Amino acid sequence: MERVIITGKTIEEALSRGLEELNTTEDKVEYRVLEEAQSGFLGLIGRKDAKLELIKKVDKKEKAKEFLEELLEEMDLNLAVEIIQDNNEKDALLNITGDDLAIIIGHRGKTLDSLQYLTNLAVNKGKEDYLRVALDAEGYRGRRKETLENLALKMANKAKKTGRKVMLEPMPPQERKVIHAILHNKSDINTYSVGKEPYRKVVIVKE
Amino acid sequence: MKEVLRTIVKHIVDNPEEILINQKEEGQSTILELKVAADDMGKVIGKGGRVAKAIRTVIGAAATKTDKHVSVKIVD
């Protein structure tokens, strides 16, 4: 965390000098007045400068990016991280790109999910204002969603034709949600989940 | 591999200066023994071992470029 203690003839002056020193803007710092300015007698005797303490706020999205970059470099993977900017304070989406994408995605996204979970822990350690971090790898999430939706429709047809329950393989909550969502408006199909995490799976049945 | 583990753990625990990692080689496998402050044990294991599992998955991915199998043991 970067901080400076700075003085100026007025609070405003001290603040603007401090911002210059930290090379940042007012919305990214917190400040505390240590001493008020005193104009003194005729502006000559007993005049005192204002003293401020400026602390640069940590941008959690930046922190998530730095954490991932440090980790990917230690892992010796040729990958870059970018923050997909939006104006939302509570959610962050980061995209990973590069040659070693397959390694970081892992089998059915298992490594990407683990990395996402650890990034959330690292960024939100002991701090308020929870930031939910989502990771993507060159559109992997979108492609996976499409695959799951196709699977869901195919299995719904199978359930209709055979009249039997179709049980899918175990999936994490976000993936089960995709299955439930796409089949939600099918009037002749019902879906529910059985089992305990992480082996919980979706069951598709004919109504 | 030791440094990968340290990078993850130091961002999760409250006492990063108390992290100890001991690396052992046994034939084709590398064993990383992780020790953290008693107060931080829960943080590296997590509810139902969720954090430990995520750490092992990421370490496993880091090991794919080497020809070794890497396992993480949390010791107290």
Side-chain angles (χ1 to χ4, degrees):
Chain A
M1 198 187 309
E2 281 185 89
R3 54 187 285 250
V4 289
I5 290 176
I6 204 104
T7 56
K9 284 198 186 77
T10 59
I11 290 176
E12 291 73 31
E13 193 193 296
L15 180 60
S16 74
R17 284 176 56 191
L19 292 175
E20 207 171 295
E21 190 150 317
L22 289 172
N23 192 19
T24 185
T25 50
E26 195 172 340
D27 55 319
K28 295 198 178 88
V29 296
E30 272 166 19
Y31 71 88
R32 202 155 61 94
V33 180
L34 300 175
E35 278 167 36
E36 297 271 358
Q38 279 164 19
S39 55
F41 180 67
L42 296 175
L44 291 169
I45 310 151
R47 205 188 62 80
K48 258 172 86 183
D49 279 351
K51 202 180 207 180
L52 293 187
E53 180 187 31
L54 264 74
I55 301 167
K56 207 170 177 178
K57 278 193 254 178
V58 246
D59 181 351
K60 287 191 166 194
K61 294 183 187 184
E62 272 307 320
K63 197 176 176 245
K65 183 173 184 268
E66 281 165 21
F67 169 70
L68 287 166
E69 282 171 342
E70 187 185 350
L71 189 57
L72 295 173
E73 183 162 351
E74 288 288 357
M75 289 171 83
D76 206 14
L77 298 178
N78 186 9
L79 293 166
V81 185
E82 56 179 352
I83 302 173
I84 309 294
Q85 274 297 2
D86 57 356
N87 297 320
N88 185 340
E89 293 278 303
K90 288 200 168 83
D91 294 273
L93 175 62
L94 286 93
N95 188 28
I96 302 175
T97 57
D99 297 339
D100 289 323
L101 220 54
I103 295 177
I104 215 62
I105 294 171
H107 181 64
R108 297 212 172 118
K110 194 179 161 202
T111 307
L112 193 63
D113 287 340
S114 293
L115 200 62
Q116 176 176 299
Y117 181 57
L118 294 173
T119 309
N120 273 287
L121 292 179
V123 170
N124 294 303
K125 189 179 84 178
K127 297 199 186 90
E128 291 155 24
D129 307 326
Y130 196 90
L131 175 74
R132 193 164 43 200
V133 182
L135 296 186
D136 199 356
E138 289 184 13
Y140 171 78
R141 301 285 192 204
R143 291 197 302 279
R144 178 76 183 145
K145 185 169 179 247
E146 215 171 281
T147 307
L148 289 170
E149 287 175 347
N150 288 336
L151 174 82
L153 296 171
K154 214 167 89 187
M155 290 302 143
N157 273 334
K158 191 177 163 193
K160 253 191 282 181
K161 250 185 233 160
T162 61
R164 284 194 191 159
K165 281 185 195 171
V166 177
M167 206 176 264
L168 303 184
E169 60 177 282
M171 283 173 201
Q174 318 86 283
E175 299 201 343
R176 295 198 307 272
K177 196 177 158 195
V178 173
I179 308 274
H180 291 307
I182 186 103
L183 298 178
H184 177 72
N185 52 10
K186 299 236 174 236
S187 54
D188 47 353
I189 286 290
N190 201 1
T191 64
Y192 57 90
S193 297
V194 292
K196 277 195 172 170
E197 302 285 4
Y199 305 107
R200 208 163 158 75
K201 44 196 173 182
V202 178
V203 182
I204 304 174
V205 287
K206 191 181 167 191
E207 279 272 86
Chain B
M1 213 46 65
K2 219 170 149 178
E3 288 315 304
V4 180
L5 182 60
R6 184 178 297 274
T7 304
I8 299 171
V9 177
K10 79 176 181 200
H11 282 98
I12 295 175
V13 299
D14 290 328
N15 309 287
E17 66 287 347
E18 285 185 50
I19 301 170
L20 280 175
I21 301 166
N22 187 18
Q23 184 162 344
K24 280 188 193 163
E25 304 292 333
E26 275 178 20
Q28 275 307 298
S29 44
T30 301
I31 300 162
L32 296 173
E33 287 181 344
L34 170 69
K35 204 173 171 178
V36 295
D39 292 348
D40 287 328
M41 279 299 263
K43 290 209 167 69
V44 291
I45 295 170
K47 196 176 161 195
R50 200 175 161 198
V51 181
K53 204 174 154 203
I55 292 173
R56 291 191 175 107
T57 303
V58 173
I59 294 291
T64 50
K65 275 203 168 179
T66 67
D67 50 3
K68 289 214 166 179
H69 175 260
V70 181
S71 58
V72 179
K73 263 188 195 165
I74 300 168
V75 294
D76 58 6

